[in-house]
Amino acid sequence: AQSVTQPDIHITVSEGASLELRCNYSYGATPYLFWYVQSPGQGLQLLLKYFSGDTLVQGIKGFEAEFKRSQSSFNLRKPSVHWSDAAEYFCAVAPGTGGSYIPTFGRGTSLIVHP
Amino acid sequence: DARVTQTPRHKVTEMGQEVTMRCQPILGHNTVFWYRQTMMQGLELLAYFRNRAPLDDSGMPKDRFSAEMPDATLATLKIQPSEPRDSAVYFCASGLDIIPNEQFFGPGTRLTVL
């Protein structure tokens, strides 16, 4: 079974600073990887996804993520954070072959943005 | 634009009462997921439907929870009887059963059981 670890419960950055949120997964083969964002009182919204091909994927709102097979990681990055980026971020992994493709979500990282 | 809708958005009830939450998946989507989100447990999968058939409800307490899809436009999650520990935000998500499985989430139902 797959698993996801988001090591950081909270991350605090200043507006305009760069951001990296960490995600490590455990799965025997190449998985499907996702990053979702949840604003307060809202459901989760897909930021970006990786299925195959180029390991650097671009998403909405200026986010990108890089798949590193050797490190079993899929870290989310943004070069300059805006105050509106304050939210909860979830990494998810789904089996890449066979199975029901049901994703497993990490516990989330709460992003706090200081002015 | 197409969205998953959930009703009610908020529900406060007393212990022992029946609670029904409804979800309208995006038209054309053939998979539906029910999740529960709490501070302690994070996001937990309760049930998963494909083409209206329940495929996985292993995360759901069977004695009090039930999930159904009466038709392709409606999914329901019922709790009977409700307990204070059921207090959480319940999310519905829908998607297409194609590789890969991207999910579209509704806004959630915030349930408080007193």
Side-chain angles (χ1 to χ4, degrees):
Chain A
Q2 68 267 24
S3 66
V4 181
T5 301
Q6 293 182 246
D8 304 305
I9 298 174
H10 302 281
I11 289 281
T12 301
V13 298
S14 298
E15 190 169 17
S18 63
L19 170 71
E20 182 170 31
L21 301 182
R22 295 183 291 166
C23 173
N24 293 98
Y25 69 89
S26 174
Y27 181 65
T30 301
Y32 298 130
L33 296 160
F34 308 84
W35 274 101
Y36 285 83
V37 61
Q38 183 181 27
S39 298
Q42 302 296 318
L44 279 68
Q45 179 187 18
L46 183 70
L47 279 176
L48 47 78
K49 58 197 176 191
Y50 171 78
F51 303 139
S52 64
D54 192 347
T55 56
L56 183 64
V57 293
Q58 302 297 321
I60 62 172
K61 305 185 182 187
F63 285 91
E64 66 177 27
E66 186 172 12
F67 169 57
K68 293 185 177 180
R69 184 190 306 275
S70 62
Q71 299 177 18
S72 297
S73 69
F74 188 57
N75 294 349
L76 182 71
R77 301 194 293 248
K78 187 169 184 178
S80 178
V81 171
H82 188 263
W83 64 266
S84 60
D85 293 325
E88 190 87 12
Y89 291 81
F90 293 89
C91 181
V93 58
T97 56
S100 59
Y101 310 111
I102 297 175
T104 298
F105 286 84
R107 291 301 302 271
T109 297
S110 178
L111 175 63
I112 300 165
V113 181
H114 282 169
Chain B
D1 61 323
R3 299 186 182 189
V4 175
T5 58
Q6 289 187 248
T7 56
R9 292 293 311 275
H10 303 273
K11 176 72 175 179
V12 179
T13 190
E14 293 188 345
M15 182 174 62
Q17 296 298 304
E18 177 179 304
V19 175
T20 298
M21 290 169 271
R22 294 177 174 80
C23 166
Q24 182 173 6
I26 292 174
L27 188 65
H29 282 185
N30 67 336
T31 60
V32 171
F33 301 78
W34 281 105
Y35 291 93
R36 175 170 63 185
Q37 186 179 42
T38 62
M39 290 294 293
M40 294 298 296
Q41 301 297 327
L43 203 59
E44 303 173 274
L45 178 67
L46 296 176
Y48 165 52
F49 290 79
R50 184 199 296 161
N51 297 325
R52 295 176 56 201
L55 292 191
D56 187 344
D57 60 2
S58 58
M60 201 164 63
K62 301 294 191 302
D63 56 338
R64 299 183 300 107
F65 284 61
S66 63
E68 297 180 344
M69 281 200 73
D71 60 59
T73 65
L74 177 64
T76 62
L77 180 66
K78 292 185 180 180
I79 308 175
Q80 169 62 15
S82 58
E83 296 180 2
R85 59 180 168 152
D86 300 328
S87 297
V89 181
Y90 291 81
F91 288 103
C92 174
S94 72
L96 286 170
D97 185 25
I98 57 174
I99 301 171
N101 197 343
E102 174 183 341
Q103 300 181 358
F104 295 80
F105 281 76
T109 294
R110 181 175 295 277
L111 174 66
T112 303
V113 183
L114 303 175

